[in-house]
Amino acid sequence: MKVLMVGDIVGSPGRACFKRVAKHLLETSAVHTIIANAENAAAGSGITLALARDLLEAGASVITLGDHTWGQRGFDSEIAQERRIVRPANYPEGAPGAIATVAETALGPIGVVQVLGQVFMGPADNPFHSIDRALAQIPANIPIFVDVHAEATSEKIALGYWLDGRVTAICGTHTHVQTSDATLLPKGSAYLTDLGMTGPVHSVIGRQIEPVLKKFTTGIPARFEVAGGATKLEGAIIDLPRGAKLPASITAVRYVFPD
């Protein structure tokens, strides 16, 4: 089984790019299932149930979210309607939505969980303890893929070693910048500090360049709209032998399309 984990999908350019790549990879059997972070799918902040289902129809088996989970008005009342959407497991008790899910794929079931980091992020419960509680909801004998949505590389690396050998893959999201450290950890789990971004190439992490420059150079607030132009999909493919829980390899990938 080859599983593609996709970095943060940003706005309509990211959604269009995801659909294009997912269609090709699934039709050619280059990958067999896709896990996509889509917390920026709606105009760069949050997601709606309609957009989530559109991405699921386009090829995602599971959608993960992040610190912008509640970025779109009303999504808190929609999220529980779709078990294939996974929100951070360390949101406060009582928050709606699934903290873990098992998705059926053509090559068998997979489990997916997600946690938020605490360093340089908004308030969240301890991710180390929360991920253990979330993992208890997934059968121990199936492959498990973890999305660590965090800012600090140190925190992501620490969570990687915390989970090493217990899950199939630990991949980071949130920074929108793909890292070059795809590896198998000592106990066999696949690891990548950040999958990167799916969205505009010529941008500041998906946003139009000029307003961001204005904010950095003048301190004056500006509206950061999603950029246009060339797009890219970044992520990683985890190759998992049939019947195994630990992977054979992890490979970072990037697909770029001109204007």
Side-chain angles (χ1 to χ4, degrees):
M1 178 188 293
K2 291 186 177 181
V3 179
L4 172 65
M5 296 186 72
V6 175
D8 305 49
I9 297 172
V10 180
S12 58
R15 299 196 309 269
C17 184
F18 171 80
K19 292 177 184 179
R20 180 175 183 177
V21 176
K23 177 180 173 63
H24 172 72
L25 294 180
L26 290 169
E27 286 183 348
T28 60
S29 297
V31 302
H32 303 105
T33 193
I34 300 173
I35 301 164
N37 184 290
E39 68 132 12
N40 298 124
S45 181
I47 195 170
T48 65
L49 182 60
L51 289 179
R53 286 181 168 164
D54 186 48
L55 293 171
L56 291 164
E57 179 67 23
S61 294
V62 178
I63 288 172
T64 59
L65 299 175
D67 57 311
H68 294 301
T69 293
W70 315 125
Q72 293 295 311
R73 186 185 302 273
F75 186 63
D76 58 320
S77 64
E78 297 179 330
I79 187 172
Q81 299 177 45
E82 181 54 77
R83 286 289 300 179
R84 292 174 292 176
I85 301 173
V86 178
R87 54 91 168 164
N90 52 337
Y91 274 160
E93 186 176 352
I99 64 170
T101 195
V102 174
E104 295 297 331
T105 77
L107 298 180
I110 61 169
V112 180
V113 299
Q114 182 189 52
V115 287
L116 280 179
Q118 289 184 309
V119 180
F120 309 129
M121 301 282 281
D125 295 338
N126 185 288
F128 294 84
H129 301 156
S130 296
I131 195 72
D132 286 349
R133 290 192 291 270
L135 289 176
Q137 297 189 15
I138 298 177
N141 62 334
I142 69 170
I144 301 173
F145 297 81
V146 178
D147 175 347
V148 178
H149 198 78
E151 183 77 28
T153 55
S154 59
E155 190 173 25
K156 293 180 184 181
I157 292 168
L159 278 160
Y161 285 112
W162 179 258
L163 295 168
D164 185 19
R166 295 193 285 151
V167 302
T168 306
I170 309 103
C171 290
T173 55
H174 178 66
T175 72
H176 296 201
V177 178
Q178 189 182 71
T179 55
S180 62
D181 58 341
T183 191
L184 297 181
L185 295 174
K187 295 180 182 177
S189 296
Y191 176 82
L192 179 63
T193 296
D194 205 287
L195 292 165
M197 180 189 77
T198 300
V201 173
H202 302 296
S203 67
V204 178
I205 60 173
R207 305 296 181 148
Q208 293 176 354
I209 296 168
E210 289 305 319
V212 178
L213 291 179
K214 177 182 177 181
K215 176 64 165 58
F216 276 128
T217 57
T218 69
I220 299 172
R223 186 175 179 85
F224 296 161
E225 301 284 359
V226 175
T231 57
K232 63 181 177 180
L233 180 147
E234 294 178 325
I237 295 176
I238 296 94
D239 192 350
L240 185 67
R242 187 180 293 272
K245 181 172 178 177
L246 294 177
S249 66
I250 177 173
T251 305
V253 295
R254 176 183 294 117
Y255 305 93
V256 180
F257 301 96
D259 295 3

